[in-house]
Structures are given as structure tokens and as C-alpha cells.
Amino acid sequence: MRRTIFLRIFGGYALIILILGLLTIIFSHAFEKRFHIETLSQELEDLGHTLEPNVLQLMEENRMDALDSYAKQIGEKINTRITVIDLEGKVLADSDSNPETMENHRYRPEIIKAYTGVTGTSVRFSRTVKEKMLYVGLPLRIKGEVSGVLRLSLYFERINDWFSRLRTNSAAIILVLITLSLFASYLLSKNISKPIKRLKDAAQKTASGEMNVQVLLKGKGELPELAESFNSMTDRISQLFDGLNAQKEQLMCILQTMEEGLVTLDSKGAIIFGNDQFKSMIKNNSPEGKFYWEFIRNPEFKNIVTQTNAEHKTQTQEVHYDDKVYLCSANYLETRNEIVITFHEITQERNLEKIKKDFVVNVSHELRTPLTSIKGYLETIEGLDEVQQKYLDTAIRNTDRLINIVKDLLLISEIESDEFEPKQESVDINELLLRITRIFQQKIKQKKLEFQTALQKNIPEIKGDSFELEQMLINLVDNAVKYTEKGAIEISTKNINSHIEIVISDTGIGIPEQELPRIFERFYVVDKSRSRKVGGTGLGLSIVKHIIQVHQGSIKVESAPEEGTTFIIRLPVKSKV
Ligand code: ADP
């Protein structure tokens, strides 16, 4: 049975009422019995005092037969047993028996007490009349001396009769009181439990989603106040729900109309939500509840999901799926332990990039041979006057620039291509640098620059592509020479924590701070006219950065205008390219 609040309150009341009723019956009975015995004893004592003068007179006159008749006569009238006992315990008179046949009463408790001069009372079984009786013994004094006992006794059966009537009456009264109390407590319990039940029912309805539930309780006190608070709470919740629903609708609208596919996965990889774009991408209308790998069996996608779950950080990765390329971005939702992944299709961009790259490679290839041929023919022209020679020099310089651009473009295309596999040779960086410095010796001398090297001896060889690495260092040293007019160029190497550090610094024109983040971009030059004058293509540093990247190294630049520039390169010693 459900322990409802009504049952709890009513049960509590009923239990208390029943216990109190039972205790009242038990204790009132015992108390009444004692009280009644005391009253009867007192009455018997008073009666004894009334009979005492007659008894004493007959005893003094030694008229024992008259005393016995007197006891029998009075005893019958007042319905009380009367016994007279002498100092030896001999029965001199008895209203209910023949004193001759009665045994000695010397040791009866009420008699013993009366012998001492005080009234003795006892309730016990009478061996003479074979019944339980109430005895009161009064000392009989002749000339101040106790010379016998007048004993009055009542049959207990009569007392019991009276008691059972009293008990029946008091039990009936108590039962009526219990019934009335139970009825009152029933009404009281209903009165308390009814509003609580109404509140409970309302709370259950609210919990099951019914938001406009109201409870109206009349009167004052805690429960009507509670009902009022409940009503304002449901009002507030309903407002919040409306707001949330509106927001949810808005969000769903955004999610369904966005161009990107979107999917939410739980920590085990099951799909919780997928927008329409995602569904059409995986060609399934109800992927919810299924695992993502049932639709996307792709190592790149698996990798991004695993990594986001493990690192709890945003991850971005290109994913190839169904002949298309997507830029996937995965975000971890801390509070729900879920991940949200968006699919931005970049197939067209990647195709365009490929077309652009192919175009650059094709054009560069096509231009290389005619340019080399033009330069060759230009160099054979002789016998020109001063002005014509100046024009010819300009033509040769620009052809050189074009050849350099074509060369750099081909190199960039090569290292950026997916098929590019750098060699894994043992490369001694110090040796490479010494070879390069020899190439630039002439130029350095011409510009009257100081040249210093500080190469650490016995630095370990690194694994890499020696041609690529040489190309990278040539570009950096070439820049140092190109952009320095006075002062010195310094090259140093050091072995630091399983890395080789190469520092190339100059005291040249320097690079303004705001230009530094862009110098590694393709075709980016700080000062166009100066770059053109020194034969720059704007591709050198982007080649440098690419080569360092494929060798898993890093490059840093520090520069200040008119003070100089320092490039710091770090390459891992056991690099596996
Ligand atoms: P470029 O062929 O024009 O030198 P780079 O890609 O090698 O192209 O360099 C990009 C730009 O960075 C250069 O145009 C130049 O402005 C600047 N730069 C590179 N190295 C240095 C340097 N050592 N000192 C000053 N400026 C430099």
C-alpha cells in the first residue's frame, strides 16, 4: 500500500489516540480500584467505631453468645461480615460462621496490626468462607488496654461486581471518546493532506511537461503561500520554456539552412543530431542513434573524432569523402561530453588550386627554354655604342630576373607537390655553409662587407635533402648580401638539445616590425623597387619556409630597420623526412 500523506498523518493520530485510550483504561482502572478499596476500608473502619461500644459492653459482661448473635444480626443487616477475636486469636463471635469451629486468627495480617493498637487492613483469601475478602481490624480497648479485635470484612466478589460495572462504563466512555477523536483526526488529516495532494498532482503534471498548471488554495498560512510560490514558479518556467523553444526553433532554422553539414556525436561516436546537409552528404535520412562509421569509413574523419575526444580541443582537418574534399572542424562540448563537427566543402577550391599549380608549372616549363635562349643570344651581341650597350644590359638583367622567377616557381611547385619526397641523406651543415660562403665571396668583397663565421666543431650530421637544404641556405645568405650595404654578415652553428641551430645575421637595411609576419608569403616584398633592383623575386623566403617545414624544423626572424636582420633556423638531428 502506498504511504500517502493522509495515511501518515491519520495513522499517526490514530496510533496516539489508541495508545492514550488503552493507557487511560489500564491506569484509571488500577487507580479507581485502589481508591475504592481505600474508601471501603475507611467506611468499614467508621462502621467498626459505631459498633465498638456495643461489642465492648458485651465483652466486658462476658456474654459471648449475645455477642455472636449481635454480630450475626448486624452483619446480615449491613451485608458485612463481623468477627470479634480475643487477644489469643480465638474467635469470640462471627456473623457468617460458628465461632466454635473457626481456627485461631492470631496470625492474620489485619489482626497482628490491630494488636499493636492501630487499624489493620488486608485483602486476602478467607480460609473460613473460602472467598477473597477485604478485612479491616480495629483494636478493642478496655480501660485503655487492647483486649481484642473487631474485624469487619466485605466479600470481594461484591467489590468486583461493582468494579466490572465501573470498568464497563468507563470503557464505553473511553471508546466513545476514541471514536470521536478518530473522526476528528480523520477530518484534520484530510484537511492537511488535501491541499498537499493537490500540490503534488500539480507538480507531477508540471514534471510531465504541462506548463500552465495552477493551484488555488484559499486561506492563509504556509500551504496557500506554497501554492502561490508554485504558481509563480510554473509561470516563470513556462516563460523560460517559451523563450527556449523560440531559441531552439531559431537555432534549428540556422542549422538546417546553413551551407555546411553539421553532426553531433556522443562520446561513443553515436550520431545525436545531423542537419539536412549532413544527411544528404551521407545519403541517409535518419542516421540518429547509429554510429558515424556506419556512414563515414574514413581514417581522416576517425582521426579528428578520436583526437577531439582525447584532447577536448577544437581540431580542423581536411577529409576526403565520396569524391569530395571537406574542411572538417570539430568542437568539444564540455558540459554534454559531445562533439559537434561541421563539414565545409572545399572541393572546388582544391581543384582551382590544383589548376593554378599545374598552370604555373606548365607556364614556367614553357618559359624556361625560350628565356635561356634569349639570354644566350643577348650575350652574343657585340659592337654596340654606349647607349645601345646600356639597353642591352637592362635587357639581360630583366631576362635574368625572369629566369630566376621561373626557377623559383618550379622549385616551389616541386616542394609543394603531393608527390614530393625529400631524400634522406646525411648532411653536414657546416660543410654546406662553407661551400655556400665560397659562392658569395666575390659579391661580399665587391660590397666591401665583413664576413664572419662561428661554426661549432663536430656538430652532428642531420638527415635530409642536401640539395633542398643548400637551396634554403643560399636564399638566406643571398638575402643577407643583397640587403646589406655596409657592416658585416655573420653565420654561426650550434648543437642544442638534439637540434642544430643556424644563425644568419646581417647589419643591413632591416625589416619594419609590421612587415615581419608577411615576409614568408609568396611574392611578398617589403620594398618593390629595391627588390627589383637587387634581382629579388619575392619567392626566396617562402621556399626557405617550405624546405624547413618538410625537414620538421623551425625558423624565427628578428629585425630592426637600419640595424640588421637575424634569421634563426633549427633543424632536428635525427629528422626523418
Ligand atoms: P626577394 O627575392 O625579394 O628577396 P624573399 O622572399 O627572399 O624575396 O624576401 C622577401 C622580402 O623580405 C624581401 O623583399 C625583403 O624586403 C625582405 N628581406 C628578406 N631578407 C632580408 C634581409 N636579410 N634583410 C632585409 N630584408 C630582407
Side-chain angles (χ1 to χ4, degrees):
M1 194 174 76
R2 275 187 63 214
R3 285 167 63 84
T4 59
I5 192 134
F6 167 75
L7 274 180
R8 276 160 188 258
I9 300 172
F10 181 62
Y13 275 133
L15 197 69
I16 293 168
I17 290 166
L18 289 176
I19 290 172
L20 283 179
L22 210 70
L23 289 177
T24 313
I25 290 172
I26 293 167
F27 286 112
S28 72
H29 180 65
F31 175 74
E32 278 165 9
K33 197 169 180 179
R34 210 174 60 227
F35 176 74
H36 193 65
I37 286 173
E38 275 169 15
T39 315
L40 281 176
S41 304
Q42 190 56 52
E43 276 173 13
L44 285 178
E45 195 180 340
D46 294 347
L47 193 67
H49 284 308
T50 323
L51 299 175
E52 203 179 325
N54 289 340
V55 172
L56 273 173
Q57 197 189 345
L58 291 169
M59 272 179 76
E60 271 174 340
E61 290 169 3
N62 208 11
R63 292 167 57 196
M64 293 310 161
D65 286 343
L67 182 66
D68 191 47
S69 312
Y70 177 72
K72 285 189 168 62
Q73 190 194 339
I74 300 294
E76 201 185 339
K77 269 190 198 160
I78 60 171
N79 214 358
T80 305
R81 186 181 168 198
I82 301 166
T83 314
V84 183
I85 300 124
D86 72 4
L87 272 181
E88 273 78 45
K90 185 173 174 262
V91 179
L92 302 175
D94 191 84
S95 60
D96 292 17
S97 291
N98 181 1
E100 303 286 307
T101 57
M102 286 170 69
E103 60 182 67
N104 193 295
H105 275 47
R106 188 191 189 117
Y107 296 109
R108 302 293 197 269
E110 69 280 3
I111 307 293
I112 293 170
K113 191 92 188 263
Y115 282 162
T116 62
V118 275
T119 306
T121 311
S122 94
V123 175
R124 61 185 170 74
F125 188 78
S126 161
R127 268 182 279 168
T128 315
V129 293
K130 310 278 184 262
E131 259 192 65
K132 200 177 176 188
M133 301 195 79
L134 165 66
Y135 295 103
V136 175
L138 285 106
L140 291 167
R141 283 192 178 85
I142 301 173
K143 290 179 191 143
E145 286 288 312
V146 178
S147 39
V149 176
L150 170 62
R151 191 181 73 174
L152 294 114
S153 18
L154 272 179
Y155 286 93
F156 223 77
E157 200 185 327
R158 252 171 272 156
I159 301 171
N160 275 347
D161 271 357
W162 188 86
F163 262 125
S164 62
R165 254 180 287 129
L166 185 75
R167 200 161 44 204
T168 319
N169 287 345
S170 59
I173 293 167
I174 290 169
L175 275 176
V176 170
L177 286 177
I178 287 176
T179 317
L180 286 175
S181 309
L182 284 176
F183 183 65
S185 65
Y186 171 83
L187 292 179
L188 193 69
S189 311
K190 264 265 170 269
N191 202 26
I192 298 174
S193 65
K194 215 166 136 187
I196 296 179
K197 190 176 174 306
R198 281 181 61 193
L199 274 165
K200 184 205 82 176
D201 290 345
Q204 266 174 349
K205 276 188 195 162
T206 312
S208 65
E210 225 178 289
M211 281 306 148
N212 39 14
V213 186
Q214 296 280 299
V215 186
L216 293 171
L217 293 184
K218 283 180 203 144
K220 284 191 173 164
E222 283 96 338
L223 286 173
E225 274 171 28
L226 183 65
E228 228 168 86
S229 306
F230 177 85
N231 292 341
S232 45
M233 185 183 79
T234 47
D235 276 348
R236 182 94 190 91
I237 292 178
S238 147
Q239 276 171 16
L240 280 174
F241 261 82
D242 286 349
L244 275 178
N245 279 339
Q247 269 181 15
K248 197 177 159 192
E249 235 170 74
Q250 212 175 5
L251 193 70
M252 281 312 281
C253 188
I254 295 170
L255 290 180
Q256 298 298 12
T257 49
M258 68 192 257
E259 247 178 67
E260 285 87 2
L262 181 138
V263 67
T264 315
L265 303 178
D266 71 8
S267 56
K268 289 186 184 108
I271 297 171
I272 299 168
F273 168 80
N275 69 355
D276 289 350
Q277 287 68 20
F278 175 76
K279 286 176 184 169
S280 66
M281 183 186 117
I282 59 166
K283 298 181 188 77
N284 188 302
N285 264 334
S286 49
E288 288 87 0
K290 294 178 185 141
F291 290 102
Y292 75 83
W293 55 82
E294 294 176 46
F295 309 102
I296 310 174
R297 284 194 168 273
N298 180 305
E300 295 153 341
F301 189 70
K302 186 184 171 197
N303 184 42
I304 191 170
V305 173
T306 323
Q307 243 176 314
T308 315
N309 269 329
E311 292 171 22
H312 295 181
K313 270 195 231 146
T314 304
Q315 311 276 341
T316 311
Q317 183 156 346
E318 258 182 46
V319 171
H320 292 80
Y321 176 74
D322 208 16
D323 292 336
K324 287 179 183 156
V325 189
Y326 295 93
L327 188 67
C328 281
S329 173
N331 283 286
Y332 180 71
L333 303 179
E334 188 94 49
T335 43
R336 303 175 60 94
N337 193 20
E338 289 171 2
I339 55 176
V340 181
I341 306 168
T342 51
F343 293 78
H344 177 69
E345 203 196 321
I346 50 166
T347 319
Q348 222 175 349
E349 285 87 335
R350 284 287 170 271
N351 285 344
L352 280 174
E353 243 171 63
K354 195 170 177 313
I355 292 168
K356 206 170 90 187
K357 269 186 199 167
D358 290 350
F359 175 75
V360 170
V361 172
N362 291 340
V363 170
S364 307
H365 267 296
E366 291 305 319
L367 286 175
R368 195 163 55 174
T369 322
L371 280 172
T372 322
S373 161
I374 291 170
K375 194 188 166 195
Y377 280 113
L378 287 175
E379 278 171 346
T380 56
I381 297 172
E382 285 175 8
L384 300 174
D385 62 30
E386 207 177 312
V387 180
Q388 285 168 331
Q389 187 60 43
K390 220 168 131 192
Y391 291 157
L392 182 65
D393 287 348
T394 309
I396 292 175
R397 207 173 55 243
N398 279 304
T399 316
D400 274 340
R401 208 169 109 74
L402 273 174
I403 290 171
N404 281 343
I405 290 177
V406 166
K407 209 172 74 202
D408 281 354
L409 279 175
L410 282 172
L411 189 62
I412 267 197
S413 306
E414 190 196 340
I415 50 179
E416 273 185 356
S417 89
D418 294 339
E419 293 96 54
F420 176 65
E421 272 289 334
K423 289 183 198 136
Q424 278 205 57
E425 301 158 322
S426 293
V427 183
D428 183 337
I429 289 290
N430 281 352
E431 207 184 287
L432 213 61
L433 281 166
L434 286 173
R435 203 161 64 221
I436 291 163
T437 52
R438 277 197 291 275
I439 302 172
F440 290 95
Q441 234 162 22
Q442 184 68 21
K443 262 194 188 170
I444 292 168
K445 223 182 206 171
Q446 269 174 13
K447 292 184 99 173
K448 296 195 177 74
L449 297 172
E450 255 181 71
F451 186 71
Q452 289 152 10
T453 50
L455 310 180
Q456 189 185 322
K457 277 186 189 155
N458 300 327
I459 58 163
E461 292 186 331
I462 66 158
K463 287 258 178 254
D465 191 313
S466 67
F467 174 76
E468 304 288 350
L469 289 169
E470 187 177 348
Q471 201 60 48
M472 179 266 288
L473 292 170
I474 286 175
N475 284 356
L476 288 170
V477 178
D478 183 40
N479 278 350
V481 177
K482 270 194 307 196
Y483 300 110
T484 308
E485 296 310 326
K486 60 177 192 305
I489 290 169
E490 212 179 297
I491 299 175
S492 70
T493 52
K494 237 192 277 175
N495 180 14
I496 308 170
N497 299 334
S498 67
H499 278 80
I500 303 260
E501 189 180 87
I502 309 158
V503 180
I504 299 168
S505 62
D506 62 61
T507 54
I509 57 163
I511 307 162
E513 204 186 332
Q514 70 274 15
E515 306 283 346
L516 285 175
R518 302 201 59 190
I519 56 169
F520 292 99
E521 287 174 20
R522 252 184 257 179
F523 293 110
Y524 192 79
V525 290
V526 176
D527 182 341
K528 277 196 180 107
S529 62
R530 187 194 286 263
S531 174
R532 210 170 293 138
K533 218 159 71 190
V534 293
T537 62
L539 290 167
L541 285 183
S542 77
I543 293 171
V544 166
K545 195 174 174 192
H546 240 89
I547 293 175
I548 290 173
Q549 254 169 13
V550 294
H551 284 83
Q552 291 157 15
S554 64
I555 183 163
K556 241 171 46 180
V557 57
E558 290 163 4
S559 186
E562 306 309 328
E563 279 180 28
T565 308
T566 303
F567 284 94
I568 305 151
I569 301 111
R570 279 190 174 206
L571 293 166
V573 171
K574 284 175 193 153
S575 159
K576 284 195 177 75
V577 266

